[in-house]
Structures are given as structure tokens and as C-alpha cells.
Amino acid sequence: MRQAVSMVARLGFRLQALPSVLGRQLSCTQDVLCRTPLYDFHLAHSGKMVEFAGWSLPVQYQDSHIDSHLHTRQHCSLFDVSHMLQTKILGSDRVKLMESIVVGDIAELKPNQGTLSLFTNEAGGILDDLIVTNTSEGYLYVVSNAGCWDKDLALMQNKVKELQNRGSDVGLEVVDNALLALQGPTAAQVLQAGVADDLRKLPFMTSAVMEVFGVSGCRVTRCGYTGEDGVEISVPAAGAVHLATALLENPEVKLAGLAARDSLRLEAGLCLYGKDIDEHTTPVEGSLSWTLGKRRRAAMDFPGAKVIVPQLKGKVQQKRVGLMCEGAPMRAHSPILSMEGTVIGTVTSGCPSPCLKKNVAMGYVPYEYSRPGTLLLIETSGPHF
């Protein structure tokens, strides 16, 4: 069956979060899934555990996926994202190191300001997306995806060794913290009850270390992966259960799992690495040109710049777009067709939108079909992969 779909105007992209090598080594082996510090907490709260990127994580709790999704939009939800990789880049040459492997302007970041950036290769492909924060404590705090843990860590460690061999002052530490995401319109109100800092002075993509509900040494970052206001809290592993329990005492807060996290990010037009962007897509093709720092574009001094920068001025072969339709939902790998019936692209992610009451998706189409409002067809019958 073929269904008509319409291109939506804009694709968003806010962030993703992470944990640590020591914790990873202690909590899993080759034969056992990794467990976050909240594993037993999830089981005690009826979490349905599934495998994700080598970790055992809750896909949902007693509430349905749809109920969790809507609760996040209307109130706030608590997500365990401790599977993410958290690292510190240290030393006086830390910015030099980071700018040698990402596309963003890290030098321009103010104290405690962060940005979404991308690791790229020399062919212009995206190796991963990550958040880099210039902390006032004298290091860069980096959060990247669990699915890219090994290659991200190897990339950073190898670059550290390379620069150290050249006499640079730089180092790397993996942060052995849990990571909790409190997301939704009432998240700041809920968190404010447990911190002395005025959260009104913590705008989007800024970060601060503070005590949270009695747990000291927490890094609170105003960011999220749901399209809602919220924070991600890097908390010492020993205090993770205490913090999660304290947050749940507020009736505004409910636990949410991977299923709601995926539909929330899709509804907001946010990428998932490995599905919507990968080593075979460039930032321009992935509609992520805004991550390229202006100074970096001019200097053309990031990996893949010779491929990526010219794409900013010309037409790329393919472009990531948002799609919307009614009827049967669009799923990953579904063919995208022109109105004449010619296959022109592929859906990378899709699901029914609980809020819009329509189906949303994203995928890649040739540049000439990427204008918002363009009508296309989606093949929604036949085998799914």
C-alpha cells in the first residue's frame, strides 16, 4: 500500500547523554549485558528490561509507552541514560584536541556553556554526535553515544596520545557517574526543590556542578532528547538510587523507558545515530549544517572539511527530511517514492505520534525533493526489516 506524505518544515536535534569505562568494566562482560547503577531500582519498579547497545535498560514500566510519552509532554519523566559515555578532556591543550576531531567551534564556548557537535572522518561522514561543555572547572565535559562507546573512546585516546607525543598538555578521564534525564515542562520546578542554585539562571545548553537532593558533586546540564525543557544530571554512581527515589517522591515525576524516549525524539525531529545519521552521511546531508562553526568553516581545519564545506554552497545528492502522514505508520527501511511512483529514498525512523495523532518519520530523499511541503509516497506494505 502506498500513502501520500508531506514534508515537514524543520528537523530538530538537541542532544544525547552518557557513563564510564570503570563502571562498564565492573558491570558487564562479553557474555553479560552491562548494567547501570539503577538496574535493581528498575526491577523494583516493574521495569521491563531489554538489550540496548550492550546494556540492560528498561523499555517501559507499568504505564504504557503512550501514557509515558504523554506524561513527559504534560508533566515530566525520569529516564536512566547511564549507558552513555561521559569523559573529561584535561590540560591546557584540551580545546586543540577537541577541535582536531569535531566540527564545532569549541574555543568560543563560554564557561559552563555546551554545544552539540559531531565527530567526522576524512570522507566527511559522521562518526557520532556528542555534547561538549566547556566547564568552569578547567576541563571539557563530553557526552557521547553508548552504541559508539568503543570507537569514540579509541578516537579520543588515540588523539590524546598523538598530541602528547608532540608535547601537548592534554589528558582524558572516563567519568564513572550515572546519568539521569529529567524531561518535561515541569522538570525545572521539580528539580528546584532539591537544589540551592536558581535554575532560572541555567539556560539551555549550560551546565553547573551542584548538590541535588543531598547528593553532592552532581553536574546538571539544561538539555534533553525529547523536545521538552529538562536537565541531564551526571550523578556519582553511589548516589544514583537516592536521587532517583527523591525525584519520584514528587507526583509530577514518573519513570519512562526507551520506548517513550524514542517516540519523543522522533516527534521532535531529533536524530538517532546509527539510524538517521552514520559514517555514510555528512552533516549537510543530515541537515546538521548548523553544527559547523563559522570559524571552522572558514579555516576548513576539521576532519572531512574538504568534502563538507563545498556541500554548504552546492546541492547534495541526498537530504534528511521530516515526513508526516495519516493511515498506516511509516517504518524504517520503507521505500520513499515520487508521486510518479519512482523509488527515490528510504525511511530511517518512523512511528505514530501520540501528540499529533498522525504518523511521523524521517528519511533521505534527493535534494530536489527536500523542500518543505513536497508531496511524496511511502510504501507501507510488504516485508519489513
Side-chain angles (χ1 to χ4, degrees):
M1 181 175 68
R2 293 176 179 176
Q3 290 184 276
V5 299
S6 179
M7 213 87 68
V8 296
R10 285 167 44 172
L11 287 167
F13 199 102
R14 288 178 80 174
L15 83 150
Q16 283 174 299
L18 336 43
S20 97
V21 161
L22 177 59
R24 190 185 195 203
Q25 290 174 335
L26 291 176
S27 62
C28 59
T29 66
Q30 289 184 342
D31 300 320
V32 179
L33 293 177
C34 302
R35 296 179 178 181
T36 78
L38 291 166
Y39 177 81
D40 291 333
F41 176 87
H42 296 313
L43 294 181
H45 287 80
S46 303
K48 181 180 179 181
M49 310 302 285
V50 297
E51 186 278 335
F52 180 80
W55 293 76
S56 181
L57 294 168
V59 66
Q60 68 181 73
Y61 297 86
Q62 289 179 317
D63 290 339
S64 71
H65 154 226
I66 301 301
D67 286 343
S68 290
H69 180 113
L70 295 175
H71 184 84
T72 309
R73 291 276 182 250
Q74 298 162 2
H75 304 279
C76 68
S77 296
L78 183 63
F79 300 82
D80 179 9
V81 291
S82 303
H83 57 300
M84 308 294 279
L85 172 63
Q86 301 176 76
T87 53
K88 293 180 180 180
I89 306 297
L90 309 158
S92 60
D93 293 313
R94 59 189 180 277
V95 171
K96 176 183 177 181
L97 178 141
M98 190 54 57
E99 289 197 347
S100 72
I101 52 179
V102 303
V103 301
D105 191 340
I106 307 305
E108 75 168 0
L109 293 176
K110 299 175 182 178
N112 292 322
Q113 181 184 16
T115 186
L116 177 78
S117 197
L118 306 170
F119 290 133
T120 49
N121 59 28
E122 292 300 334
I126 301 171
L127 297 173
D128 198 9
D129 58 279
L130 62 151
I131 297 292
V132 183
T133 300
N134 177 29
T135 75
S136 59
E137 290 78 21
Y139 60 86
L140 299 177
Y141 171 59
V142 181
V143 180
S144 56
N145 287 302
C148 299
W149 181 302
D150 292 333
K151 74 173 183 179
D152 287 355
L153 191 57
L155 174 66
M156 291 186 284
Q157 287 175 331
N158 289 339
K159 184 58 68 170
V160 165
K161 291 178 183 178
E162 177 186 325
L163 292 184
Q164 285 177 340
N165 289 338
R166 296 179 183 176
S168 295
D169 176 27
V170 67
L172 180 149
E173 290 181 7
V174 176
V175 181
D176 191 30
N177 280 4
L179 193 65
L180 302 180
L182 186 66
Q183 298 287 298
T186 61
Q189 170 192 325
V190 169
L191 188 63
Q192 188 63 75
V195 301
D197 299 59
D198 185 352
L199 296 179
R200 292 174 298 181
K201 298 179 180 179
L202 191 74
F204 181 62
M205 292 306 292
T206 62
S207 178
V209 175
M210 62 186 76
E211 181 177 295
V212 184
F213 285 100
V215 181
S216 60
C218 295
R219 175 167 293 281
V220 178
T221 304
R222 196 75 170 259
C223 64
Y225 190 48
T226 61
E228 295 292 339
D229 187 19
V231 296
E232 292 187 351
I233 308 169
S234 180
V235 53
V241 170
H242 171 86
L243 177 54
T245 301
L247 289 168
L248 280 179
E249 289 179 358
N250 191 314
E252 280 289 309
V253 183
K254 289 189 176 183
L255 292 168
L258 293 171
R261 184 169 165 83
D262 192 52
S263 60
L264 287 160
R265 68 95 188 170
L266 250 173
E267 200 173 64
L270 311 183
C271 293
L272 175 61
Y273 188 84
K275 279 196 170 184
D276 308 307
I277 51 173
D278 58 27
E279 295 184 20
H280 304 291
T281 53
T282 70
V284 181
E285 292 171 334
S287 297
L288 295 171
S289 299
W290 59 271
T291 63
L292 306 172
K294 291 182 180 179
R295 175 178 60 83
R296 307 301 306 282
R297 298 183 192 193
M300 294 186 66
D301 60 352
F302 56 87
K306 292 182 179 180
V307 175
I308 297 167
V309 173
Q311 290 183 342
L312 294 169
K313 300 177 181 179
K315 293 182 179 180
V316 291
Q317 290 188 342
Q318 61 175 353
K319 193 83 171 177
R320 182 174 66 94
V321 297
L323 304 164
M324 186 181 298
C325 77
E326 297 181 356
M330 300 172 281
R331 300 295 187 186
H333 306 291
S334 295
I336 304 173
L337 301 85
S338 68
M339 294 303 289
E340 292 72 39
T342 302
V343 175
I344 59 171
T346 306
V347 173
T348 54
S349 302
C351 73
S353 165
C355 293
L356 299 175
K357 308 300 182 185
K358 295 182 180 181
N359 302 306
V360 295
M362 61 181 74
Y364 284 83
V365 298
Y367 180 85
E368 56 268 29
Y369 290 94
S370 64
R371 185 175 179 177
T374 301
L375 290 176
L376 298 170
L377 298 172
I378 300 288
E379 184 66 67
T380 57
S381 63
H384 291 278
F385 302 93

